[in-house]
Amino acid sequence: MGPQAELPEPPPAAHAIFGDRLPDAVRYAELLADIGVGRGLIGPREVPRLWERHLLNCAVLAEVIPEQVSVCDVGSGAGLPGIPLALVRPDLRITLLEPLLRRTNFLHEVVELLGLDQVTVVRGRAEEVMNDVTPVHVVTARAVAPLDRLASWGVPLLRPYGEMLALKGDTAEQELRAARAALAKLGVVGTSVLHVGEELLDPPSTVVRVEVGESPGGVRFAAKRAKAARRGGRGGRGGRRSP
Ligand SMILES: C[S@@+](CC[C@H](N)C(=O)[O-])C[C@H]1O[C@@H](n2cnc3c(N)ncnc32)[C@H](O)[C@@H]1O
């Protein structure tokens, strides 16, 4: 095996984006480059491009998230985009949702080391926890699944009038077109493609925004939730506070 790739110094955009949390962002990048690679959570070839392609690309998502809302990062993996988001937006309450134990162990360690009190790690698959997690204002996701499948997992986690923000590459428009029928069935009332971080990143990050109306997940899902609520289960939205 060749020599380990070196983690580069943070680029100027990292100073602008992370501000006084830059030392924590550096610590996170070091953890990814060190134990993240060692445990197979991130490929060694990603290390030279950790800043641009991973931390910064994810942190700029903060530009389009309203203040003081709850966020669920579906398929967080090694914490992307959830951890960079938590560093730049301490006002957000963030749940990192991830099914694999190896990854949730790493996430717990990062949250503790960086003192991210507003972050909770939940182990599970989105489609399995949807009746158990308190609905959130915003679902985020990167590199988890094609948009139609991702929406079927992410949209039911939303509160009424919430939104899903999926970091996508060049395929954003194409995925959106392919997912239109599936999105309509899920109670989606608006979609758009946004470019975030335009002033700081080249290229900027591409985000698909999916907005829901009164019934996130569609009519069938609302009926399921109502039934769970009547049974006294944890699936009802009525009277429940967001995390
Ligand atoms: C390619 S990784 C991307 C991780 C991270 N979001 C990133 O951008 O680096 C996809 C992640 O989605 C998780 N995942 C797959 N299916 C899922 C599901 N149904 N619910 C929640 N997470 C899921 C996987 O365990 C994996 O960590």
Side-chain angles (χ1 to χ4, degrees):
M1 218 166 63
Q4 293 261 320
E6 290 254 337
L7 176 67
E9 289 295 314
H15 294 259
I17 290 170
F18 287 106
D20 62 3
R21 297 306 298 268
L22 184 62
D24 289 321
V26 170
R27 186 78 191 103
Y28 176 52
E30 287 169 353
L31 289 166
L32 286 172
D34 182 2
I35 56 177
V37 172
R39 295 183 198 173
L41 306 181
I42 194 149
R45 276 186 301 189
E46 299 306 312
V47 173
R49 49 191 189 184
L50 267 182
W51 284 106
E52 280 83 0
R53 201 183 160 119
H54 297 281
L55 273 74
L56 300 180
N57 171 288
C58 287
V60 291
L61 196 53
E63 283 180 16
V64 287
I65 299 186
E67 278 178 27
Q68 309 228 326
V69 296
S70 51
V71 175
C72 181
D73 184 26
V74 169
S76 198
L80 297 160
I83 298 284
L85 210 48
L87 288 173
V88 295
R89 291 289 304 275
D91 60 302
L92 303 175
R93 287 150 289 148
I94 302 182
T95 300
L96 307 179
L97 179 61
E98 169 56 47
L100 297 185
L101 182 63
R102 216 156 34 105
R103 295 180 182 173
T104 54
N105 283 343
F106 177 76
L107 294 173
H108 281 294
E109 287 167 42
V110 171
V111 165
E112 192 170 325
L113 280 166
L114 302 184
L116 295 171
D117 297 336
Q118 90 271 33
V119 177
T120 308
V121 179
V122 172
R123 185 173 170 214
R125 294 192 162 275
E127 66 276 30
E128 287 166 6
V129 301
M130 55 176 70
N131 281 325
D132 300 320
V133 300
T134 305
V136 292
H137 297 89
V138 177
V139 162
T140 58
R142 187 184 80 152
V144 175
L147 190 62
D148 50 352
R149 197 173 340 137
L150 178 65
S152 74
W153 297 341
V155 165
L157 300 175
L158 290 170
R159 291 162 57 112
Y161 307 106
E163 59 187 315
M164 184 175 86
L165 298 169
L167 277 159
K168 293 279 179 188
D170 299 341
T171 60
E173 298 278 2
Q174 196 187 327
E175 284 197 47
L176 198 46
R177 272 196 301 277
R180 282 225 187 277
L183 294 179
K185 284 189 195 147
L186 288 168
V188 169
V189 296
T191 58
S192 44
V193 175
L194 314 172
H195 299 285
V196 294
E198 275 178 318
E199 289 176 12
L200 294 160
L201 303 182
D202 184 19
S205 301
T206 304
V207 178
V208 174
R209 171 186 262 156
V210 165
E211 294 166 90
V212 297
E214 212 175 342
S215 299
V219 178
R220 269 181 56 203
F221 188 73
K224 251 170 90 179
R225 273 203 190 271
K227 199 171 159 195
R230 279 197 301 277
R231 283 200 313 262
R234 304 205 298 153
R237 287 170 191 275
R240 298 179 71 220
R241 291 176 52 227
S242 68

